[in-house]
Amino acid sequence: MYVYDAPYNKMRSAEVMDCHVLVIGSGGAGVRAAIEASGYGKTILLSKTLAGKGGCTPMAEGGYNAVLREQDSCEIHYGDTMKGGSYLNDPELVRILVAEAPERMEDLLRWGAVFDVTDCCEVAQRPFGGQSFPRTCYAGDRTGHEMMVTLIERLASTDVKVISEVTVLDLVVESGRVVGALGLDGKGNIVAVRADATVLATGGGTQIYDISTNSSSGTGDGFAIGYRAGAELIDMEMVQFHPTGAVYPYDARGRLITEAVRGEGGVLKNALGERFMEKYDPVKKELSTRDVVSRAIATEILEGRGTAHGGVYLDVTHLPRQQIEERLPVMLEQFLKFGVDIREEPMEVAPTAHHIMGGLRISPHGETTLPGLYACGEVTGGVHGANRLGGNALADTQVFGKRAGESAGRAPRRDVRIGEKAIEAQEERLSLFLGGEVPPSTVVRSLRTAMWEGAGIFRTARDLEKTLGVIAHLSSLPLLARTRENLGECCTVQNMLLTATLVVRGALLRKESRGAHTRRDVVQAWDAQTSPYGHTYQSLTRSGIETVVRE
Amino acid sequence: MMKVHARVFRFDPEEDEKPHYQNYVVEVNEGARVLHVLQAIHDEIDPTLAFRYCCGAGQCGSCAVRINGEPGLACMEEARDGMTVEPLDLPIKKDLVVDLQPFLATLPRICPRGEPEVPDREKVELLKPLRSCIECVCCVSVCPAMDVASFDGPTAMRQELRLALDPRDKGGDRVREAVSHGLFTCTSCQACWKVCPKDIEIPGKAIEKLRALANREGLTLPRHQEVARLVRETGRSIVRTGPTFLEDAPEVIEPDGPVKATVGFFVGCMYNGRLPQTARDAMEVLKRNGIRVIIPREQVCCGSPLIRTGQVDFLDTLKKRNIDAFVFRKIDTVLTMCAGCGSTLKNDYRTPFRVMDINEVLTKFGIEPPARLPVKATYHDPCHLLRGQGIRDQPRELITQVVELVEMPSICCGSGGGVRSGMPEVAAALAENRRKEIEKTGAEIVVSSCPFCEFHISEHTDRPVRNVTSILLEGYREKDRKKAKGTVSS
């Protein structure tokens, strides 16, 4: 007979809520999905943070790619995206992205978004890396924030029930179908939501790295939750290192310095004052794709041409002051806070873990491989291939947010309940934390260092194997929650460990260098276009790498 | 690494009867922010400490707290040894976590027409600064008017203007909505602007703009219209009730000793018409301290009562007359002693001369030490001096030379922004809060440096309210008396 221990007894019975569509995540993709789903029936949006303040969308600075001009075309945007993604992208998803990005931009404008405009009253666009045409729409350098404010305003006019500050524990699967999710509120009580269709929009997870641009919610929850429920993930090894993160002060390292700085004309120089990008990509220089620029900066630093703080210089002092003040106000403000006037002196930058291109495998309609589960935004894989172009992520949130929300909304009503068993299983998982030993913060610190050192920009099988061993060890430690309010932290750490495992396993599966994934121990006779490999895939039941048969 | 001592507010409404403070010592990296200290406490000492944060980059507005009393973002403000960290002045959920949602839910939201149109560039430039708000609610935490009046608060007004300016909104008359939600209760104390992490100038760039739109719709308060009529007809914002300062003042006042500086004096309506004796006291003090004062008679109202209430059509005439009056006499430094006029001349005018407040002039050129008076005084920071002109230390430097100073929190007295004339009950309620703080200090007199504050506070406290220069003059008189006595006795 199972005897309930003391803390277990203190648990209050779960409150079960019911809806047609459950959306998990309150960034750009989640809110867009919820807005769309609300037209089909009762929709609940669960947010780990205060809805509208969480995720990485409000932090996204540079812009939103959309074909808006006569001289540009979807075909060119498609070509840029495929090339930038080293042709690992799912072509159908890319076709949808480029075709629908302008329509979703119109939605935002319809709902009140204030983008920068030209004198001719058109949405202004600027150049970003890897583009054949300057097609990045922007609102200064707070584009994501502008979108988020607009989306939250729109959300407020729908009937969506927003539940903030609930940490999702797991999806509930009954007879092979997702029927909702269980979460934890701030007090550590279990919250259950039953749904006909569930949309995962939890964003990315580069918080698993020591140096990261992600908000505190970028802990890979959706990858882990989806994987545990049985969904298949692809290309998890594809982690984008943004070339320009802050390097000091220590606690601000990794903070995003937008690509718009280079888009506006900022140049990169090493400690010797050389404009080194001329060496790595003589044509596009600073506006090469992120994988190329990141490797270039990392190489300069590794070869001893870095600054005292371990970075390189990013300089805009040659630009007119007014241009910096108007187009890069957030950058200016943030650096001033840290004692640097970017109008007068160069910034110091180094690569920082930014975006996970891999994620849940989706159909063009946002369906995952698991019935009842839909996904959109950074938690999905396939759209960006092996390297994402700057400005394509915000577009992705809107295009696939709408699609996933719509598909979930169209899902048939079902008469299923969340069984007691699922709740009991979670209660049991949680009760272990209350009797644990190791503080979550200790585990996180070790994980981040291990990932940065062993699964960063440059990778080898040996380092990856070693990292996998460290993660396995960390995963075996009994996490401690001092009070019920700390239970969520333990669950988050487990999600981070699982996400890291998926990244490293993916990196071992892909024995080639491609896009953001650089294997120093592999000599290959092919380039991206002639690679024999397709997606890596991982699920509870199978893992491997697809091979491509070329004519 | 550096060691940081932090005093942190702790309160669990479900468990504790009342809040308490807990002291912690943590090691953090050089350049660490307040957030990193909180994280270190949570990770290494006390995982029960509750605080909210998300982006860590000043963009989401989740982590606002009060640091040594001043609201700010924990992720952006540098950690200081010995700091006190408290929640915003809002309902507390636990420790540093406040309930933001009821407030955020009241913010007006756009009702779009449904067309994907783009506002023109001019509109976009007006809208952009209003859009940078991250809804951290720091401004709500410090707004004095929200405590006493039915006012939706600074960021709600910012949002109302954003909607009023956006051609895509069909949510009705946003200006009228703003008026009904308390537009005229704002005293333009600027506390909201000074704490805004995004530096949004809500009083000048939202409140006053909305009031100007309200003016076009005929929604200006009758008392404010009366003031505007008066300015237009007489050049002054107050009715003449007796001899004014300018009527009696000489064109030039030569100092007693060598000339340290020459200034032109901008007297302002209140000192001219209501408190001329205070202005004369100030002239005495300047005279004694080597400041030569030129007083152009043709100067008029600075226009502040019109700007604050959104009645700006007559403004350019006033500006021109005032600037001409000083330029004609080749004056390169204009002295103000009214905080409101000083702030207006510095911030709303483009003057070919330098504008200095009397506290700046006296501390810059130095004063003869007065005799000490056996009086305990407290100082009221005028909003338009402290926040409008950034003048905090200078009046204190002067006051402490003559009396003992007991500090009190810098809060608005309620007289500014046309609130005293337009919303007297709100002004009175704010003054009541001011009175309570004065009472707590145990001071015998209140010293200030703004005629509006002096006049308004004196109506709401039984303590005498004196101008900085008036008590200096008293100190000089006491010194002279002692000296005379000494001469007689010797």
Side-chain angles (χ1 to χ4, degrees):
Chain A
M1 194 182 79
Y2 183 77
V3 181
Y4 288 173
D5 59 12
Y8 195 91
N9 269 336
K10 267 169 73 185
M11 291 186 183
R12 284 140 274 195
S13 66
E15 176 196 354
V16 181
M17 285 171 283
D18 198 89
C19 62
H20 176 50
V21 176
L22 166 66
V23 179
I24 303 169
S26 65
V31 173
R32 186 65 186 82
I35 290 168
E36 206 59 30
S38 68
Y40 297 89
K42 187 179 171 188
T43 301
I44 289 180
L45 183 129
L46 280 187
S47 172
K48 194 172 180 174
T49 59
L50 288 177
K53 293 185 178 295
C56 292
T57 308
M59 302 167 74
E61 292 164 350
Y64 179 114
N65 292 347
V67 174
L68 301 178
R69 304 278 195 274
E70 286 275 303
Q71 309 92 297
D72 196 8
S73 78
C74 288
E75 201 48 49
I76 306 175
H77 188 186
Y78 173 84
D80 287 346
T81 302
M82 292 299 293
K83 188 177 173 201
S86 290
Y87 303 95
L88 187 62
N89 327 51
D90 190 329
E92 206 181 345
L93 297 179
V94 179
R95 292 250 175 243
I96 292 167
L97 175 78
V98 301
E100 295 180 8
E103 295 165 27
R104 299 292 77 80
M105 173 56 104
E106 282 198 354
D107 289 346
L108 291 168
L109 295 172
R110 197 175 280 129
W111 299 338
V114 183
F115 277 79
D116 276 72
V117 296
T118 65
D119 288 329
C120 316
C121 227
E122 292 170 312
V123 173
Q125 293 182 304
R126 66 177 156 212
F128 251 45
Q131 292 180 346
S132 313
F133 186 88
R135 71 169 72 84
T136 304
C137 312
Y138 58 94
D141 56 358
R142 42 164 289 279
T143 313
H145 175 254
E146 179 59 41
M147 285 172 56
M148 213 57 235
V149 174
T150 305
L151 290 166
I152 288 291
E153 278 197 62
R154 183 64 188 174
L155 185 70
S157 72
T158 68
D159 297 326
V160 174
K161 183 178 165 72
V162 179
I163 303 173
S164 281
E165 302 190 303
V166 165
T167 304
V168 170
L169 294 166
D170 260 320
L171 298 169
V172 182
V173 185
E174 301 277 348
S175 320
R177 167 172 285 278
V178 173
V179 297
L182 299 179
L184 266 183
D185 69 13
K187 295 278 169 207
N189 300 316
I190 288 193
V191 175
V193 184
R194 193 219 62 88
D196 300 321
T198 301
V199 182
L200 259 190
T202 46
T206 64
Q207 279 287 348
I208 60 173
Y209 285 93
D210 187 38
I211 301 173
S212 161
T213 61
N214 276 194
S215 79
S216 64
S217 48
T219 46
D221 298 337
F223 303 120
I225 290 167
Y227 180 84
R228 283 197 299 263
E232 185 167 273
L233 286 81
I234 57 169
D235 301 334
M236 285 301 287
E237 69 283 6
M238 293 302 175
V239 178
Q240 177 166 78
F241 291 85
H242 194 288
T244 57
V247 295
Y248 75 94
Y250 185 81
D251 291 306
R253 70 197 191 288
R255 185 171 47 84
L256 178 65
I257 292 155
T258 172
E259 187 163 323
V261 173
R262 284 170 285 137
E264 293 293 339
V267 293
L268 289 164
K269 289 177 186 164
N270 62 21
L272 309 174
E274 296 162 340
R275 196 175 168 189
F276 58 85
M277 279 312 296
E278 286 168 348
K279 215 161 47 181
Y280 299 89
D281 186 343
V283 181
K284 291 186 183 143
K285 298 188 192 79
E286 281 82 3
L287 286 181
S288 186
T289 51
R290 288 176 178 174
D291 49 349
V292 175
V293 183
S294 281
R295 270 193 298 271
I297 294 175
T299 304
E300 291 296 308
I301 297 168
L302 283 174
E303 292 178 359
R305 292 183 295 278
T307 64
H309 288 109
V312 295
Y313 294 115
L314 174 58
D315 196 354
V316 289
T317 56
H318 58 287
L319 299 177
R321 295 173 75 88
Q322 198 190 349
Q323 185 182 349
I324 298 170
E325 286 153 17
E326 284 177 7
R327 304 275 183 82
L328 305 167
V330 176
M331 288 298 102
L332 179 60
E333 166 204 314
Q334 286 186 354
F335 272 93
L336 280 174
K337 273 270 179 207
F338 293 110
V340 175
D341 186 343
I342 64 171
R343 293 165 298 192
E344 304 284 343
E345 52 194 313
M347 296 161 252
E348 279 182 64
V349 298
T352 168
H354 185 51
H355 185 99
I356 298 188
M357 272 76 70
L360 276 76
R361 195 195 280 272
I362 53 165
S363 75
H365 300 290
E367 302 148 312
T368 69
T369 57
L370 196 58
L373 183 66
Y374 303 78
C376 53
E378 195 176 337
V379 78
T380 68
V383 180
H384 307 291
N387 173 61
R388 176 176 68 78
L389 290 188
N392 267 358
L394 289 181
D396 173 5
T397 64
Q398 299 309 287
V399 168
F400 291 98
K402 178 187 187 282
R403 284 185 157 250
E406 191 176 341
S407 303
R410 290 182 189 279
R413 322 250 147 192
R414 284 171 199 281
D415 190 23
V416 262
R417 289 188 42 231
I418 289 184
E420 284 296 316
K421 262 197 178 153
I423 297 172
E424 275 173 26
Q426 285 301 330
E427 298 271 20
E428 209 165 321
R429 172 188 179 196
L430 298 175
S431 69
L432 290 178
F433 298 138
L434 292 168
E437 284 163 30
V438 185
S441 56
T442 313
V443 175
V444 169
R445 214 169 298 144
S446 305
L447 172 69
R448 285 178 175 157
T449 312
M451 286 300 286
W452 187 256
E453 285 171 2
I457 299 179
F458 299 112
R459 301 164 172 180
T460 63
R462 222 175 89 187
D463 288 348
L464 291 166
E465 292 286 4
K466 198 176 126 198
T467 309
L468 206 53
V470 175
I471 300 169
H473 165 69
L474 293 172
S475 305
S476 70
L477 299 174
L479 289 165
L480 163 71
R482 275 262 294 270
T483 69
R484 290 198 62 89
E485 287 168 31
N486 301 103
L487 289 172
E489 296 162 29
C490 295
C491 298
T492 299
V493 172
Q494 288 190 328
N495 291 342
M496 292 171 81
L497 289 163
L498 181 47
T499 301
T501 307
L502 294 168
V503 169
V504 177
R505 277 205 233 137
L508 282 164
L509 286 170
R510 184 173 299 282
K511 293 180 182 64
E512 66 170 346
S513 292
R514 194 158 174 191
H517 173 70
T518 310
R519 281 284 296 264
R520 285 201 146 159
D521 56 340
V522 173
V523 183
Q524 68 197 55
W526 58 84
D527 62 13
Q529 265 177 301
T530 54
S531 168
Y533 296 123
H535 301 303
T536 60
Y537 53 88
Q538 302 180 65
S539 73
L540 289 174
T541 52
R542 62 175 207 143
S543 72
I545 186 162
E546 293 166 0
T547 48
V548 184
V549 183
R550 293 190 191 276
E551 303 286 306
Chain B
M1 295 294 272
M2 60 176 190
K3 201 177 257 185
V4 172
H5 295 73
R7 188 167 157 264
V8 183
F9 178 97
R10 300 300 306 266
F11 182 47
D12 184 349
E14 285 184 10
E15 303 275 334
D16 308 337
E17 257 177 50
K18 59 179 184 12
H20 66 281
Y21 288 84
Q22 197 140 348
N23 291 306
Y24 300 97
V25 189
V26 287
E27 291 261 331
V28 290
N29 297 296
E30 293 290 331
R33 306 288 124 175
V34 173
L35 174 64
H36 305 124
V37 169
L38 298 176
Q39 285 173 326
I41 295 171
H42 178 272
D43 289 351
E44 281 146 38
I45 305 174
D46 190 349
T48 66
L49 175 67
F51 57 99
R52 188 189 274 133
Y53 73 104
C54 193
C55 78
Q59 276 301 99
C60 75
S62 300
C63 68
V65 288
R66 281 184 300 154
I67 305 144
N68 294 330
E70 279 279 292
L73 298 180
C75 71
M76 294 306 278
E77 296 303 323
E78 195 164 354
R80 304 261 178 227
D81 191 29
M83 66 183 177
T84 298
V85 186
E86 298 163 291
L88 292 183
D89 193 4
L90 291 166
I92 293 162
K93 288 179 96 169
K94 193 187 168 202
D95 300 337
L96 302 173
V97 179
V98 294
D99 201 358
L100 292 179
Q101 280 186 313
F103 176 78
L104 295 179
T106 64
L107 285 181
R109 300 298 188 186
I110 194 168
C111 295
R113 273 176 216 288
E115 291 304 313
E117 42 185 335
V118 183
D120 61 40
R121 188 155 180 184
E122 201 185 327
K123 277 267 159 56
V124 166
E125 292 309 319
L126 285 172
L127 287 169
K128 271 170 74 176
L130 302 171
R131 289 296 270 178
S132 60
C133 174
I134 54 173
E135 296 178 3
C136 65
V137 200
C138 282
C139 59
V140 172
S141 179
V142 294
C143 175
M146 289 182 78
D147 288 341
V148 300
S150 168
F151 177 37
D152 282 4
T155 199
M157 293 299 119
R158 169 203 58 78
Q159 178 69 354
E160 292 285 12
L161 181 64
R162 170 265 186 283
L163 296 172
L165 292 176
D166 199 317
R168 293 167 295 186
D169 178 57
K170 62 169 175 67
D173 187 339
R174 299 296 188 169
V175 176
R176 207 170 277 272
E177 186 174 270
V179 171
S180 71
H181 291 182
L183 177 63
F184 287 108
T185 66
C186 164
T187 63
S188 67
C189 77
Q190 305 182 28
C192 54
W193 174 24
K194 295 299 160 178
V195 300
C196 177
K198 295 288 154 185
D199 199 28
I200 306 173
E201 190 189 341
I202 293 181
K205 297 280 164 64
I207 305 268
E208 286 166 15
K209 293 277 186 298
L210 275 169
R211 287 178 179 177
L213 294 175
N215 183 247
R216 273 196 243 159
E217 292 190 23
L219 297 172
T220 300
L221 298 177
R223 293 288 299 275
H224 293 167
Q225 291 177 29
E226 182 60 21
V227 172
R229 186 188 58 78
L230 210 56
V231 174
R232 205 170 274 119
E233 288 172 6
T234 68
R236 288 293 169 192
S237 60
I238 54 172
V239 184
R240 185 181 182 283
T241 51
T244 67
F245 173 84
L246 285 172
E247 284 165 15
D248 288 345
E251 174 85 8
V252 182
I253 303 175
E254 295 294 341
D256 292 339
V259 178
K260 289 189 209 162
T262 299
V263 298
F265 179 40
F266 187 89
V267 63
C269 299
M270 279 293 281
Y271 284 130
N272 184 50
R274 282 283 176 277
L275 303 163
Q277 187 50 48
T278 310
R280 285 192 280 266
D281 289 354
M283 295 306 109
E284 285 282 312
V285 171
L286 291 166
K287 189 167 184 243
R288 192 158 176 147
N289 285 294
I291 310 295
R292 185 166 172 268
V293 184
I294 302 170
I295 308 171
R297 293 255 168 100
E298 67 271 30
Q299 57 180 287
V300 290
C301 172
C302 69
S304 174
L306 306 183
I307 301 171
R308 309 302 151 229
T309 58
Q311 308 177 87
V312 289
D313 49 342
F314 190 57
L315 202 60
D316 289 343
T317 316
L318 295 176
K319 284 185 181 176
K320 187 169 181 339
R321 280 175 69 178
N322 284 324
I323 291 172
D324 286 353
F326 290 94
V327 168
F328 177 71
R329 288 169 180 81
K330 301 193 167 45
I331 290 166
D332 60 9
T333 303
V334 169
L335 172 124
T336 54
M337 63 179 288
C338 169
C341 297
S343 175
T344 303
L345 260 54
K346 284 177 179 173
N347 304 318
D348 298 286
Y349 276 54
R350 297 185 70 154
T351 58
F353 43 75
R354 177 171 58 159
V355 179
M356 285 179 87
D357 176 73
I358 191 162
N359 292 284
E360 289 179 286
V361 169
L362 290 175
T363 47
K364 182 177 177 199
F365 295 102
I367 60 162
E368 174 200 335
R372 288 200 72 83
L373 303 172
V375 181
K376 199 160 105 176
T378 187
Y379 174 65
H380 167 78
D381 278 298
C383 297
H384 289 269
L385 195 63
L386 177 68
R387 287 178 284 271
Q389 302 178 55
I391 295 176
R392 186 189 180 278
D393 297 337
Q394 297 91 328
R396 288 173 169 81
E397 192 183 320
L398 297 172
I399 294 165
T400 49
Q401 292 189 51
V402 62
V403 291
E404 184 197 339
L405 177 65
V406 198
E407 291 286 357
M408 60 177 175
S410 297
I411 55 171
C412 176
C413 70
S415 66
V419 172
R420 183 182 152 85
S421 62
M423 296 260 165
E425 67 295 343
V426 174
L430 287 166
E432 176 56 19
N433 286 347
R434 180 75 292 191
R435 185 191 66 77
K436 286 182 195 151
E437 293 293 340
I438 292 170
E439 207 100 309
K440 278 189 216 161
T441 63
E444 295 145 84
I445 64 165
V446 182
V447 181
S448 196
S449 196
C450 167
F452 294 95
C453 301
E454 289 161 32
F455 200 80
H456 189 58
I457 296 172
S458 67
E459 282 185 348
H460 292 89
T461 169
D462 52 0
R463 319 285 150 98
V465 182
R466 311 295 307 277
N467 184 270
V468 175
T469 53
S470 299
I471 60 152
L472 280 180
L473 185 61
E474 235 172 87
Y476 287 136
R477 287 193 176 137
E478 176 64 18
K479 188 178 182 180
D480 294 345
R481 264 196 299 274
K482 276 185 181 159
K483 204 171 166 190
K485 234 163 113 185
T487 319
V488 170
S489 64
S490 62

PDB file of all heavy atoms in Angstrom, chain A residues 37-52:
ATOM      1  N   ALA A  37      -7.790  31.305 -32.411  1.00  0.00           N
ATOM      2  CA  ALA A  37      -8.619  30.201 -31.889  1.00  0.00           C
ATOM      3  C   ALA A  37      -9.899  30.701 -31.248  1.00  0.00           C
ATOM      4  O   ALA A  37     -10.921  30.015 -31.256  1.00  0.00           O
ATOM      5  CB  ALA A  37      -7.800  29.392 -30.878  1.00  0.00           C
ATOM      6  N   SER A  38      -9.835  31.930 -30.700  1.00  0.00           N
ATOM      7  CA  SER A  38     -10.999  32.421 -29.953  1.00  0.00           C
ATOM      8  C   SER A  38     -12.239  32.535 -30.842  1.00  0.00           C
ATOM      9  O   SER A  38     -13.358  32.545 -30.344  1.00  0.00           O
ATOM     10  CB  SER A  38     -10.686  33.768 -29.308  1.00  0.00           C
ATOM     11  OG  SER A  38     -10.531  34.758 -30.309  1.00  0.00           O
ATOM     12  N   GLY A  39     -12.014  32.596 -32.153  1.00  0.00           N
ATOM     13  CA  GLY A  39     -13.152  32.661 -33.059  1.00  0.00           C
ATOM     14  C   GLY A  39     -13.906  31.341 -33.179  1.00  0.00           C
ATOM     15  O   GLY A  39     -14.988  31.280 -33.751  1.00  0.00           O
ATOM     16  N   TYR A  40     -13.327  30.283 -32.655  1.00  0.00           N
ATOM     17  CA  TYR A  40     -13.921  28.947 -32.824  1.00  0.00           C
ATOM     18  C   TYR A  40     -14.528  28.371 -31.554  1.00  0.00           C
ATOM     19  O   TYR A  40     -15.209  27.356 -31.606  1.00  0.00           O
ATOM     20  CB  TYR A  40     -12.867  27.975 -33.360  1.00  0.00           C
ATOM     21  CG  TYR A  40     -12.354  28.351 -34.721  1.00  0.00           C
ATOM     22  CD1 TYR A  40     -11.265  29.197 -34.875  1.00  0.00           C
ATOM     23  CD2 TYR A  40     -12.992  27.866 -35.871  1.00  0.00           C
ATOM     24  CE1 TYR A  40     -10.790  29.552 -36.117  1.00  0.00           C
ATOM     25  CE2 TYR A  40     -12.529  28.214 -37.127  1.00  0.00           C
ATOM     26  CZ  TYR A  40     -11.427  29.064 -37.252  1.00  0.00           C
ATOM     27  OH  TYR A  40     -10.981  29.407 -38.498  1.00  0.00           O
ATOM     28  N   GLY A  41     -14.227  28.979 -30.424  1.00  0.00           N
ATOM     29  CA  GLY A  41     -14.770  28.432 -29.186  1.00  0.00           C
ATOM     30  C   GLY A  41     -13.955  28.901 -28.001  1.00  0.00           C
ATOM     31  O   GLY A  41     -12.982  29.646 -28.150  1.00  0.00           O
ATOM     32  N   LYS A  42     -14.374  28.430 -26.840  1.00  0.00           N
ATOM     33  CA  LYS A  42     -13.733  28.900 -25.604  1.00  0.00           C
ATOM     34  C   LYS A  42     -12.230  28.592 -25.618  1.00  0.00           C
ATOM     35  O   LYS A  42     -11.817  27.457 -25.822  1.00  0.00           O
ATOM     36  CB  LYS A  42     -14.397  28.236 -24.398  1.00  0.00           C
ATOM     37  CG  LYS A  42     -13.880  28.821 -23.092  1.00  0.00           C
ATOM     38  CD  LYS A  42     -14.539  28.194 -21.882  1.00  0.00           C
ATOM     39  CE  LYS A  42     -13.800  28.674 -20.632  1.00  0.00           C
ATOM     40  NZ  LYS A  42     -14.240  27.980 -19.432  1.00  0.00           N
ATOM     41  N   THR A  43     -11.448  29.623 -25.430  1.00  0.00           N
ATOM     42  CA  THR A  43      -9.993  29.483 -25.486  1.00  0.00           C
ATOM     43  C   THR A  43      -9.364  29.930 -24.175  1.00  0.00           C
ATOM     44  O   THR A  43      -9.736  30.968 -23.624  1.00  0.00           O
ATOM     45  CB  THR A  43      -9.432  30.323 -26.653  1.00  0.00           C
ATOM     46  OG1 THR A  43     -10.027  29.866 -27.867  1.00  0.00           O
ATOM     47  CG2 THR A  43      -7.924  30.204 -26.757  1.00  0.00           C
ATOM     48  N   ILE A  44      -8.437  29.127 -23.708  1.00  0.00           N
ATOM     49  CA  ILE A  44      -7.676  29.501 -22.511  1.00  0.00           C
ATOM     50  C   ILE A  44      -6.222  29.669 -22.905  1.00  0.00           C
ATOM     51  O   ILE A  44      -5.669  28.854 -23.648  1.00  0.00           O
ATOM     52  CB  ILE A  44      -7.803  28.421 -21.409  1.00  0.00           C
ATOM     53  CG1 ILE A  44      -9.219  28.428 -20.824  1.00  0.00           C
ATOM     54  CG2 ILE A  44      -6.778  28.660 -20.288  1.00  0.00           C
ATOM     55  CD1 ILE A  44      -9.455  27.412 -19.722  1.00  0.00           C
ATOM     56  N   LEU A  45      -5.589  30.732 -22.416  1.00  0.00           N
ATOM     57  CA  LEU A  45      -4.174  30.939 -22.655  1.00  0.00           C
ATOM     58  C   LEU A  45      -3.444  30.845 -21.314  1.00  0.00           C
ATOM     59  O   LEU A  45      -3.768  31.579 -20.386  1.00  0.00           O
ATOM     60  CB  LEU A  45      -3.932  32.311 -23.291  1.00  0.00           C
ATOM     61  CG  LEU A  45      -2.471  32.592 -23.660  1.00  0.00           C
ATOM     62  CD1 LEU A  45      -2.382  33.071 -25.096  1.00  0.00           C
ATOM     63  CD2 LEU A  45      -1.848  33.627 -22.769  1.00  0.00           C
ATOM     64  N   LEU A  46      -2.539  29.890 -21.224  1.00  0.00           N
ATOM     65  CA  LEU A  46      -1.751  29.723 -20.004  1.00  0.00           C
ATOM     66  C   LEU A  46      -0.396  30.383 -20.207  1.00  0.00           C
ATOM     67  O   LEU A  46       0.273  30.128 -21.199  1.00  0.00           O
ATOM     68  CB  LEU A  46      -1.510  28.245 -19.706  1.00  0.00           C
ATOM     69  CG  LEU A  46      -2.597  27.415 -19.037  1.00  0.00           C
ATOM     70  CD1 LEU A  46      -2.032  26.044 -18.697  1.00  0.00           C
ATOM     71  CD2 LEU A  46      -3.140  28.083 -17.803  1.00  0.00           C
ATOM     72  N   SER A  47      -0.008  31.213 -19.241  1.00  0.00           N
ATOM     73  CA  SER A  47       1.270  31.893 -19.354  1.00  0.00           C
ATOM     74  C   SER A  47       2.090  31.661 -18.096  1.00  0.00           C
ATOM     75  O   SER A  47       1.579  31.743 -16.991  1.00  0.00           O
ATOM     76  CB  SER A  47       1.029  33.394 -19.551  1.00  0.00           C
ATOM     77  OG  SER A  47       2.250  34.087 -19.471  1.00  0.00           O
ATOM     78  N   LYS A  48       3.357  31.386 -18.297  1.00  0.00           N
ATOM     79  CA  LYS A  48       4.245  31.178 -17.163  1.00  0.00           C
ATOM     80  C   LYS A  48       4.557  32.512 -16.483  1.00  0.00           C
ATOM     81  O   LYS A  48       4.908  32.573 -15.323  1.00  0.00           O
ATOM     82  CB  LYS A  48       5.550  30.563 -17.695  1.00  0.00           C
ATOM     83  CG  LYS A  48       6.457  29.982 -16.640  1.00  0.00           C
ATOM     84  CD  LYS A  48       7.602  29.242 -17.330  1.00  0.00           C
ATOM     85  CE  LYS A  48       8.556  28.627 -16.316  1.00  0.00           C
ATOM     86  NZ  LYS A  48       9.578  27.791 -16.967  1.00  0.00           N
ATOM     87  N   THR A  49       4.432  33.583 -17.258  1.00  0.00           N
ATOM     88  CA  THR A  49       4.737  34.923 -16.764  1.00  0.00           C
ATOM     89  C   THR A  49       3.454  35.738 -16.781  1.00  0.00           C
ATOM     90  O   THR A  49       2.377  35.182 -16.959  1.00  0.00           O
ATOM     91  CB  THR A  49       5.751  35.583 -17.701  1.00  0.00           C
ATOM     92  OG1 THR A  49       5.158  35.619 -19.004  1.00  0.00           O
ATOM     93  CG2 THR A  49       7.039  34.783 -17.748  1.00  0.00           C
ATOM     94  N   LEU A  50       3.565  37.043 -16.617  1.00  0.00           N
ATOM     95  CA  LEU A  50       2.416  37.894 -16.863  1.00  0.00           C
ATOM     96  C   LEU A  50       2.253  37.938 -18.376  1.00  0.00           C
ATOM     97  O   LEU A  50       3.192  38.298 -19.077  1.00  0.00           O
ATOM     98  CB  LEU A  50       2.666  39.302 -16.330  1.00  0.00           C
ATOM     99  CG  LEU A  50       2.664  39.492 -14.822  1.00  0.00           C
ATOM    100  CD1 LEU A  50       3.011  40.932 -14.472  1.00  0.00           C
ATOM    101  CD2 LEU A  50       1.307  39.132 -14.228  1.00  0.00           C
ATOM    102  N   ALA A  51       1.084  37.573 -18.867  1.00  0.00           N
ATOM    103  CA  ALA A  51       0.889  37.527 -20.311  1.00  0.00           C
ATOM    104  C   ALA A  51       1.251  38.876 -20.923  1.00  0.00           C
ATOM    105  O   ALA A  51       0.847  39.919 -20.414  1.00  0.00           O
ATOM    106  CB  ALA A  51      -0.556  37.171 -20.629  1.00  0.00           C
ATOM    107  N   GLY A  52       2.036  38.818 -21.992  1.00  0.00           N
ATOM    108  CA  GLY A  52       2.459  40.051 -22.665  1.00  0.00           C
ATOM    109  C   GLY A  52       3.851  40.476 -22.231  1.00  0.00           C
ATOM    110  O   GLY A  52       4.511  41.233 -22.910  1.00  0.00           O
TER     111      GLY A  52
END
